[in-house]
Amino acid sequence: MPQPILERSPILELRGVDKIFGDFAAVERVDLSIAEGEFFTIVGPSGSGKTTLIRMLVGMDAPTRGEILLRGQRINETPANKRPFCMVFQSLALFPHMTVGENVAYSLKCRGIGKKERRERATECLALAHLPASYYDRAVTKCSGGEKQRVALARALAYDPEVLFFDEPLSALDYRLRKTLEKELKDIQRETGKTFIYITHSLEEAMVMSDRIGVMRDGRLAQVGSPREVYDRPRTRFVSEFFGEVNAFPVTAKDGRLWCEPLAMAFDPPPDAPAGFKSGALIVRPEHLHFDPAAAEPIRGEVFNEYLLGSRVQYQVRAGGTTLLVEGMGGQPPATREVALSFSPADSLLFAE
Ligand code: ADP
Ligand code: MG
């Protein structure tokens, strides 16, 4: 077994990092430690500061405040080309007039490495990026979208950087190709043992690939944790809602239970409900809301829409003037449009307003 990620020494650290544009904080008070060999993903909505954060790490921008450390050494003043990093952009920025091999070998040529060794090392990098050696002499313009992604990755690997950065590299690709490349990228990261720092606004991408995920909101890191932690134990309502559609019941504390006015009924609080909770939202994911004709205290509603989501089915249920989402694996569809729903308190999340 490899050493657990968080027991490894940090390769990159951010301490109190801010980036201010005029009077606007694009990144604010970010503290983060990324472990050697980790696949770390930064997710967040558009405009939340992901690109700004990564630009500071690679050295394209300087922080307004705070420190960036590489293996404990401050690198704020180290220019981008002196940092052992490489970035893969969404645009890929391949040289169109060159072959695949020339693109990959470019950095080796710049370092004065001879032709024969260049070809050997570039071919190795192609193999690491899951491209056959026969692609070496192909014009890069003849490659498909997915192959171009692999060429860009091979070219980044040829620099032999200690950290590879990716800014939404897959977002322009179609769904199937994205799914394939997500898994491949994770494999390649494991095979090379390099630290990958990856930006995406796609939570699915983040869940599939990452050792840990950092969720950004308005320039701040709202939560950092494993995919399981951020999905199952989101620390804020924002994080819970970022990771998929949810049912949010407005509730107030009443006699040890949670009163939900729109449904005119009470729920039991989750086992880890915050002490002194007064009012807020009880969040239940669609997969945790079940059709349950035998429920003691059901939520009564009416199914008015049904969507097939591939392996899952989602139902829209009208209840007490609100729309609820119920998701199942396709088995046990409700027998009538009038339904009774229930969920286990342990599968709910309570956030104070
Ligand atoms: P993301 O990558 O998460 O979509 P960005 O990091 O690109 O977000 O941008 C975060 C915020 O900072 C946005 O509101 C953006 O308009 C602003 N911003 C980014 N770069 C600059 C800049 N050079 N000057 C002024 N504002 C900027
Ligand atoms: Mg961006």
Side-chain angles (χ1 to χ4, degrees), residues 18 35 65 83 104 113 126 168 173 175 194-195 204 216 224-225 230 232 243 264 272-273 286 297 303 320 323:
D18 288 346
R65 268 187 294 275
R83 298 184 190 189
V104 177
I113 291 166
L126 284 177
E168 312 222 16
L173 303 176
Y175 182 80
K194 296 211 183 272
T195 307
E204 259 188 88
M216 283 200 82
V224 175
V230 290
D232 290 343
F243 283 89
D272 56 355
E297 293 177 283
V303 177
T323 296

Side-chain angles (χ1 to χ4, degrees), residues 19-22 24-27 42-55 61 167-168 199 216 219:
K19 181 70 186 177
I20 317 286
F21 294 114
F24 173 74
V27 167
I42 300 164
V43 295
S46 181
S48 57
K50 305 181 297 296
T51 296
T52 305
L53 186 66
I54 219 172
R55 284 175 59 89
D61 259 331
D167 193 351
E168 312 222 16
I199 291 185
M216 283 200 82

Side-chain angles (χ1 to χ4, degrees), residues 265-332:
M265 63 182 291
F267 299 119
D268 286 325
D272 56 355
F277 174 87
K278 286 200 178 68
S279 72
L282 187 70
I283 303 283
V284 182
R285 294 197 186 280
E287 70 266 30
H288 291 140
L289 204 50
H290 306 293
F291 297 116
D292 183 4
E297 293 177 283
I299 305 168
R300 297 205 181 276
E302 190 187 335
V303 177
F304 69 98
N305 257 326
E306 187 180 323
Y307 304 100
L308 183 61
L309 309 173
S311 59
R312 298 162 294 144
V313 186
Q314 188 179 81
Y315 301 91
Q316 283 188 306
V317 178
R318 202 169 283 125
T322 59
T323 296
L324 304 179
L325 299 174
V326 183
E327 229 169 84
M329 304 303 281
Q332 297 294 322

Side-chain angles (χ1 to χ4, degrees), residues 114-258:
K115 202 168 177 186
K116 184 162 172 286
E117 193 184 341
R118 256 180 3 234
R119 188 161 186 122
E120 274 169 22
R121 281 175 48 187
T123 307
E124 278 171 27
C125 293
L126 284 177
L128 280 172
H130 299 178
L131 276 175
S134 61
Y135 273 63
Y136 197 94
D137 294 311
R138 188 170 292 201
V140 79
T141 45
K142 294 256 160 61
C143 292
S144 70
E147 288 162 355
K148 284 190 184 129
Q149 291 286 332
R150 295 193 179 97
V151 177
L153 178 61
R155 186 178 60 175
L157 289 168
Y159 281 87
D160 197 24
E162 295 190 49
V163 185
L164 277 91
F165 291 88
F166 300 84
D167 193 351
E168 312 222 16
L170 305 184
S171 44
L173 303 176
D174 67 66
Y175 182 80
R176 266 192 65 145
L177 187 54
R178 225 165 56 221
K179 292 279 119 195
T180 311
L181 288 174
E182 277 169 14
K183 299 208 172 82
E184 277 191 49
L185 257 182
K186 177 69 203 164
D187 290 343
I188 292 163
Q189 188 265 338
R190 241 186 245 126
E191 286 157 22
T192 59
K194 296 211 183 272
T195 307
F196 278 28
I197 300 180
Y198 193 97
I199 291 185
T200 180
H201 59 262
S202 154
L203 72 110
E204 259 188 88
E205 229 167 84
M207 299 289 256
V208 169
M209 298 191 293
S210 319
D211 292 307
R212 282 188 309 156
I213 295 173
V215 187
M216 283 200 82
R217 180 193 192 183
D218 297 339
R220 295 196 184 208
L221 270 176
Q223 188 167 356
V224 175
S226 68
R228 268 269 145 251
E229 281 162 358
V230 290
Y231 189 79
D232 290 343
R233 303 258 62 91
R235 243 188 264 132
T236 63
R237 181 171 172 181
F238 170 82
V239 174
S240 80
E241 291 181 335
F242 189 73
F243 283 89
E245 293 177 295
V246 297
N247 297 295
F249 301 102
V251 291
T252 47
K254 196 175 165 194
D255 307 327
R257 301 192 81 201
L258 302 169

